[in-house]
Amino acid sequence: MKPLNLVIRLEWAIVAVAAVVFYGSTGTSWWLFGLLILAPDLSMSGYLAGPRVGALAYNALHILIVPVLLLLAGHMWGNAVAMAVALIWIAHIAIDRALGYGLKLSTGFQDTHLGRVGR
């Protein structure tokens, strides 16, 4: 693994840890965390309609824009559940990126913005 790739993965691992730590401060049940941590991966079912639709569906739930906006809204409105859901979502994305799973290209699931997944 190239040194820069290692740094990028480490950076995402730290984001994942931070999201989990902040989740703990919301006072929300850890059952919710366990229930929702893999929910964004349901978007992989889009690949049943082909790689282009699959990439679109997967990427729609694996970009940070919506969960960060949800986190900010939850904070502004004092809604702990909204913040908790956003932090679970952010943790999921960060764990994926730390493992080398990036946003998908329309050429196939294994082709990502971080490079090809697997060998």
Side-chain angles (χ1 to χ4, degrees), residues 1-83:
M1 184 180 313
K2 296 178 183 178
L4 180 58
N5 197 0
L6 182 62
V7 170
I8 291 170
R9 286 184 180 208
L10 178 61
E11 185 175 54
W12 281 108
I14 291 168
V15 170
V17 169
V20 172
V21 168
F22 286 123
Y23 178 86
S25 72
T26 67
T28 309
S29 170
W30 285 99
W31 285 102
L32 182 65
F33 189 93
L35 180 68
L36 295 180
I37 190 65
L38 295 178
D41 284 341
L42 293 174
S43 63
M44 285 190 284
S45 63
Y47 279 95
L48 295 172
R52 188 177 191 91
V53 173
L56 182 64
Y58 183 91
N59 292 343
L61 293 182
H62 285 82
I63 57 173
L64 288 170
I65 295 168
V66 176
V68 168
L69 290 175
L70 179 61
L71 180 62
L72 290 171
H75 177 71
M76 288 174 53
W77 296 327
N79 187 326
V81 174
M83 290 190 302

